[in-house]
Amino acid sequence: MSNTQDVDFDPRAMRRRLDLNQQEFWNAVGVTQSGGSRYEQDRRIPKPVKKLLVMRYKYNIDPDAITDENATMIQAILEGKLDTGTLKHQLEKIQRVIKASQQLAHTASELSGAAEAVLTDRSREKTA
């Protein structure tokens, strides 16, 4: 995972910048306060814990919010395969398509109403 090496992994400094106590900081990534204290004393931090730190404190992703549906996208972001700028651009495109679809549906509804009115008028003319 390339991005974890890019993040400052001095956990004590990171925690202090965020103005969190050890329990708040470490519990947010599923690590006990005592385990976190050991990591802050220069004990090697396992890669999975580093990934959780990146998700929680660099990307502000709550690990509890990860689902089967979004896990692949989150992994791609963490691996640098998908950046948030690209996601934002794609979201804007999707929003434009949705807006155009809504306008098209509205126009189709108006046309349907007009066609029904014409057919009703013709039917009345034939019976008159």
Side-chain angles (χ1 to χ4, degrees):
M1 183 171 98
S2 62
N3 282 355
T4 52
Q5 285 83 26
D6 301 336
V7 176
D8 174 13
F9 276 103
D10 178 352
R12 179 183 296 139
M14 183 185 292
R15 178 177 61 76
R16 287 180 176 167
R17 274 195 312 275
L18 295 167
D19 195 30
L20 298 173
N21 66 39
Q22 285 183 335
Q23 185 170 356
E24 293 167 328
F25 181 82
W26 290 105
N27 283 351
V29 294
V31 174
T32 64
Q33 180 276 325
S34 60
S37 178
R38 287 191 295 273
Y39 293 143
E40 289 187 18
Q41 298 300 320
D42 296 326
R43 187 171 181 187
R44 187 181 153 283
I45 302 174
K47 284 185 181 183
V49 174
K50 285 183 181 182
K51 285 183 179 185
L52 290 170
L53 289 170
V54 169
M55 283 189 305
R56 183 67 185 102
Y57 296 114
K58 181 177 181 185
Y59 294 109
N60 201 25
I61 298 170
D62 180 355
D64 292 335
I66 298 171
T67 64
D68 289 342
E69 291 79 23
N70 66 17
T72 302
M73 185 175 294
I74 291 170
Q75 185 67 31
I77 291 168
L78 293 173
E79 291 175 351
K81 295 177 182 175
L82 186 64
D83 65 78
T84 54
T86 300
L87 289 175
K88 184 178 178 185
H89 179 70
Q90 293 298 325
L91 176 61
E92 290 167 353
K93 288 169 76 174
I94 291 167
Q95 288 172 332
R96 287 193 302 268
V97 168
I98 290 170
K99 185 176 181 178
S101 297
Q102 290 170 335
Q103 291 171 341
L104 183 60
H106 180 73
T107 301
S109 176
E110 288 177 342
L111 287 173
S112 175
E116 187 176 329
V118 167
L119 292 173
T120 301
D121 288 345
R122 286 187 181 169
S123 177
R124 285 186 189 148
E125 289 174 1
K126 287 181 181 179
T127 58

